[in-house]
Amino acid sequence: MSGAGLPEIGIPDGAGLTVAVVTSRWNEDITGRLQEEALAAAAETGATARPYVVVGALEIPVVVQALATEVDAIGALGCVIRGGTPHFDYVCDAVTAGLTRIALDTGTPIGNGVLTCDTHDQALARSGAEDATENKGRDAMIAAVHTADLPRRI
């Protein structure tokens, strides 16, 4: 599991920021944990968080786009686990491209916490659950809040 190279940026100042957390329900045992961790991270920064739930990963960019002009930053959370067909590749590419396009078009920071894993165990290890090696829900929210806060300090 790769967490190597993760920068230590500390807790950004989210006071006065409103953030959204958009989470897919697919693989809910994983995504529910990602959402809990992202909401806790938002609270830790002092940001006000609003959670939203969508069905699957492909629906995440649609809701993120609707929210991008309403909030200061967004955490996008999901879990796509490879199956026996190329569907995994199409979903992962579409979600990543969609989130990137929305962030660039609107200037709204989007923390991408959509896990793209080969197995359920890999996803669990990245979910922030007990004994997990990574916490991608938290990481995505901290990155989004940091990016929203940075222009205020420039």
Side-chain angles (χ1 to χ4, degrees):
M1 199 56 45
S2 178
L6 180 67
E8 179 56 49
I9 63 168
I11 304 301
D13 181 7
L17 297 178
T18 299
V19 299
V21 178
V22 179
T23 309
S24 71
R25 291 182 58 107
W26 205 267
N27 296 305
E28 192 168 19
D29 62 318
I30 301 296
T31 61
R33 184 63 183 181
L34 292 171
Q35 183 183 50
E36 289 173 16
E37 294 295 326
L39 291 170
E44 191 175 349
T45 71
T48 300
R50 300 182 345 209
Y52 299 87
V53 177
V54 298
V55 175
L58 284 174
E59 290 74 39
I60 293 170
V62 174
V63 175
V64 166
Q65 184 171 26
L67 291 166
T69 58
E70 306 298 321
V71 298
D72 299 298
I74 302 170
L77 310 173
C79 178
V80 184
I81 299 174
R82 186 180 300 278
T85 69
H87 183 72
F88 171 88
D89 297 313
Y90 301 135
V91 170
C92 296
D93 287 346
V95 172
T96 300
L99 294 176
T100 301
R101 183 184 56 90
I102 295 162
L104 293 173
D105 288 351
T106 65
T108 302
I110 300 170
N112 186 344
V114 179
L115 304 183
T116 56
C117 301
D118 288 326
T119 67
H120 184 270
D121 286 342
Q122 286 177 347
L124 191 60
R126 299 176 80 194
S127 71
E130 189 174 332
D131 298 326
T133 56
E134 297 181 75
N135 189 335
K136 294 302 183 182
R138 177 180 175 75
D139 293 348
M141 183 51 63
I142 294 294
V145 172
H146 180 270
T147 306
D149 178 47
L150 187 57
R152 298 190 303 181
R153 296 185 289 120
I154 293 176

